[in-house]
Amino acid sequence: MDLSDYRKQIDDVDDQIIKLFQRRMEIVDGIGEYKRSHNVPVNSGSRERDVLTRISKALPPHLEDFGRSLYRSMFHISKAYEAMHKEKDSPLYKELSHMITAEPVQFPKRAIVACQGREGAYSQIAAEKLFEIPEIMYNNSFEGVIKMVTDGMCEYGILPIENSTAGSVNEIYDLLIKYDVHIVRSTRVRIDHQLLGAKGMKIKDLKTIYSHPQAIRQCSTFLSTLPDVEIIPFENTAMAAAKVAKDETRTSASISSASCAQLYNMDVLQTEIQNFGNNHTRFICIAKEPRIYPGANRTSIMMVMSHTPGTLFGVLSRFNATGANLVKIESRPIPGREFEFTFYFDIELSIYDAKFASLISELDHCEEQFKYFGTYQEII
């Protein structure tokens, strides 16, 4: 036989598999209906173990592992198919469907916006990029920004969530889980860090540098050339500049934005001290209520995965089935729970895709803990 003969045999087998797959999913549909009417959970670990044991016994040793992998995938497909009917009754599905079909509301040009730090902070630059006329109120902490939004003092808040050099700002993810706020837009700001000192200061007299921990990490190469200088973390780059500007000893400096030099009448001791020229920070805009503005195509979610083989694969297969593009996946260990992780996903999928609400709501059912952060547009 030549290659075409083998391929013909494969096609014949595939035709049989397709019919059997269709029949299997019809039975799964019946099982799902039974479970819904009798309030039985979709997942059944003992049933899956029994099937895998039977598959292992039925296959020759050299195919056993491959057969178990195939059936684990089949389990995920079946559960997704069962959940597809159930999630349409979920509050999340109804909420998402309502926001998608509601009369579109444009993202506002002006708003009262909370930012961390003070004037000259990078979050201010992000706010001015997102809003044409932002009325900015400052708070010393990221948590304070969120509380200003949840307490109704500000309609929106700006928070840094990720840097191209230093990675994710884990504190922000923790706060998004802790508080009931929603991402409604995001943007990227190019970060040009400057070493600033009080007027008249000389770099040879430098003893101490203040800045936010993220900025310090982003300038680690430059800072390694100053082994005798003490590096002190500070709440915010602009707040660090304001402190250094008042230093009468003229022995301290800050890592801050160029605008801080003008705002606080400081000398620029060194320009562009970040590790990489292409250094960007991604900022999110949060609101108290979930909102989906026109053009939204990016969704952020969090999931806690059960510590069982194939769990992550099952979630990823759901994304693949809808054609959703995963633009970010990150995991963090859960304190006090051995080898278990929280996963963060950023997904690109249009809200107008018929599969959008079903996918997000289905994920809400499939793991022990799930949180929908929001669907939004990223402004470049």
Side-chain angles (χ1 to χ4, degrees), residues 62-357:
H62 69 284
L63 291 178
E64 182 179 340
D65 288 343
F66 296 101
R68 292 172 68 90
S69 295
L70 172 64
Y71 270 81
R72 286 195 184 100
S73 298
M74 195 78 76
F75 296 152
H76 290 305
I77 292 170
S78 298
K79 283 185 282 190
Y81 189 64
E82 285 184 56
M84 182 177 66
H85 301 283
K86 185 176 181 180
E87 93 271 335
K88 291 185 179 180
D89 296 324
S90 73
L92 179 58
Y93 180 88
K94 292 177 180 178
E95 182 179 40
L96 289 173
S97 299
H98 173 72
M99 287 191 291
I100 292 169
T101 56
E103 187 73 23
V105 178
Q106 296 297 319
F107 191 78
K109 294 182 178 181
R110 63 174 66 204
I112 301 175
V113 184
C115 291
Q116 190 260 351
R118 60 182 299 167
E119 192 174 2
Y122 287 106
S123 58
Q124 175 195 340
I125 298 172
E128 291 173 345
K129 189 173 180 180
L130 288 167
F131 299 90
E132 289 186 22
I133 312 173
E135 182 180 336
I136 299 176
M137 298 178 66
Y138 293 98
N139 195 283
N140 289 345
S141 69
F142 294 140
E143 186 166 19
V145 168
I146 293 182
K147 286 182 177 179
M148 291 173 76
V149 174
T150 57
D151 292 345
M153 292 179 61
C154 296
E155 190 175 1
Y156 299 95
I158 305 296
L159 297 167
I161 198 167
E162 183 180 10
N163 177 263
S164 57
T165 301
S168 295
V169 185
N170 291 328
E171 180 185 353
I172 301 301
Y173 279 108
D174 293 339
L175 290 170
L176 288 176
I177 294 172
K178 181 179 178 180
Y179 290 93
D180 190 21
V181 292
H182 305 271
I183 305 172
V184 296
R185 187 149 285 198
S186 68
T187 190
R188 294 175 184 267
V189 173
R190 189 176 189 276
I191 306 298
D192 286 323
H193 289 307
Q194 319 284 316
L195 187 68
L196 307 182
K199 277 293 182 182
M201 183 203 166
K202 305 299 181 185
I203 197 167
K204 64 182 179 61
D205 299 323
L206 182 60
K207 294 181 180 179
T208 308
I209 293 177
Y210 298 90
S211 196
H212 189 273
Q214 279 273 335
I216 292 170
R217 285 194 290 272
Q218 293 164 27
C219 301
S220 59
T221 301
F222 170 77
L223 295 176
S224 68
T225 67
L226 305 171
D228 298 326
V229 176
E230 184 181 9
I231 312 299
I232 300 179
F234 213 70
E235 293 97 327
N236 177 270
T237 56
M239 294 169 70
K243 174 182 174 61
V244 169
K246 299 176 182 178
D247 178 18
E248 295 181 356
T249 68
R250 289 173 172 75
T251 58
S252 64
S254 72
I255 299 173
S256 308
S257 67
S259 60
C260 285
Q262 297 176 344
L263 283 168
Y264 304 112
N265 192 30
M266 303 174 74
D267 283 344
V268 178
L269 306 177
Q270 186 82 30
T271 61
E272 298 187 359
I273 62 172
Q274 63 271 11
N275 294 349
F276 303 100
N278 187 26
N279 184 29
H280 290 79
T281 292
R282 183 168 164 249
F283 288 85
I284 56 172
C285 178
I286 61 167
K288 185 175 181 179
E289 302 297 333
R291 302 167 185 173
I292 298 180
Y293 292 106
N297 64 350
R298 184 171 184 144
T299 297
S300 295
I301 61 172
M302 177 279 295
M303 304 177 73
V304 174
M305 303 279 184
S306 56
H307 188 48
T308 53
T311 301
L312 178 59
F313 173 79
V315 171
L316 295 178
S317 66
R318 287 168 166 83
F319 295 139
N320 183 63
T322 60
N325 180 31
L326 271 180
V327 292
K328 178 176 181 177
I329 175 171
E330 183 173 329
S331 64
R332 291 180 61 202
I334 302 173
R337 296 172 65 172
E338 190 173 2
F339 302 116
E340 293 197 50
F341 294 85
T342 299
F343 285 83
Y344 301 99
F345 299 94
D346 281 357
I347 312 155
E348 275 189 355
L349 182 66
S350 171
I351 61 168
Y352 304 110
D353 190 308
K355 299 174 183 176
F356 170 78

